């Protein structure tokens, strides 16, 4: 799927409230003190930075977005007429470059 089409589809599912919240993301949100509004805001203003086409049961993607100027990564997928929320976290500056879009390469000298 073309990335631009996919992010628009994600936003449409959110607008239509076609959202499936799984137990994993909900427990991670509690653990990481991330609100539902943070996740939704992130997806509404975010961009897809990675795609995982081989994920099961539906291909998924990693979205970088911001809520209250704080970066978040949301993994979600689309299938069976819903957006499926998989997990969310604040990207770690040790693992991600300052743009939070690319992973750090530890093989560089």
């Amino acid at each position: 799927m073309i990335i631009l089409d996919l992010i628009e589809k994600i936003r449409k599912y959110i607008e239509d409230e076609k959202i499936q919240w799984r137990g994993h993301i909900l427990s991670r949100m509690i653990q990481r003190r991330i609100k539902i509004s943070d996740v939704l805001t992130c997806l509404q203003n975010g961009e897809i930075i990675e795609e995982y086409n081989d994920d099961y049961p539906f291909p998924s993607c990693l979205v970088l977005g911001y809520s209250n100027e704080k970066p978040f990564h949301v993994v979600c997928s689309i299938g069976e007429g819903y957006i499926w929320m998989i997990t969310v976290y604040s990207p770690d500056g040790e693992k991600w470059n300052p743009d939070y879009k690319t992973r750090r390469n530890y093989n560089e000298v």
Side-chain angles (χ1 to χ4, degrees):
M1 183 175 288
I2 299 172
I3 289 178
L4 187 58
D5 292 342
L6 182 56
I7 196 70
E8 292 304 321
K9 199 173 210 180
I10 288 169
R11 291 177 181 142
K12 178 73 171 136
Y13 280 113
I14 291 170
E15 181 183 314
D16 293 344
E17 298 182 4
K18 297 280 202 167
I19 306 167
Q20 290 288 327
W21 297 91
R22 307 306 294 172
H24 176 78
I25 192 171
L26 294 172
S27 64
R28 292 294 180 249
M29 288 168 63
I30 292 168
Q31 177 186 39
R32 297 168 180 155
R33 295 190 170 108
I34 300 172
K35 301 174 188 170
I36 287 176
S37 61
D38 291 327
V39 175
L40 298 178
T41 299
C42 180
L43 292 173
Q44 289 167 332
N45 70 41
E47 65 180 292
I48 295 170
I49 58 172
E50 293 181 1
E51 287 188 83
Y52 313 117
N53 294 318
D54 295 331
D55 275 3
Y56 178 85
F58 311 112
S60 65
C61 62
L62 176 63
V63 177
L64 165 64
Y66 290 81
S67 180
N68 297 315
E69 300 181 24
K70 183 175 180 179
F72 291 99
H73 282 170
V74 179
V75 179
C76 60
S77 63
I78 291 179
E80 297 180 347
Y82 291 92
I83 179 171
W84 297 81
M85 302 297 186
I86 299 168
T87 197
V88 62
Y89 58 90
S90 295
D92 183 338
E94 290 184 23
K95 296 179 183 176
W96 293 88
N97 285 314
D99 65 0
Y100 300 113
K101 296 179 185 180
T102 53
R103 296 175 194 270
R104 290 191 181 271
N105 184 349
Y106 291 103
N107 296 325
E108 295 178 356
V109 177

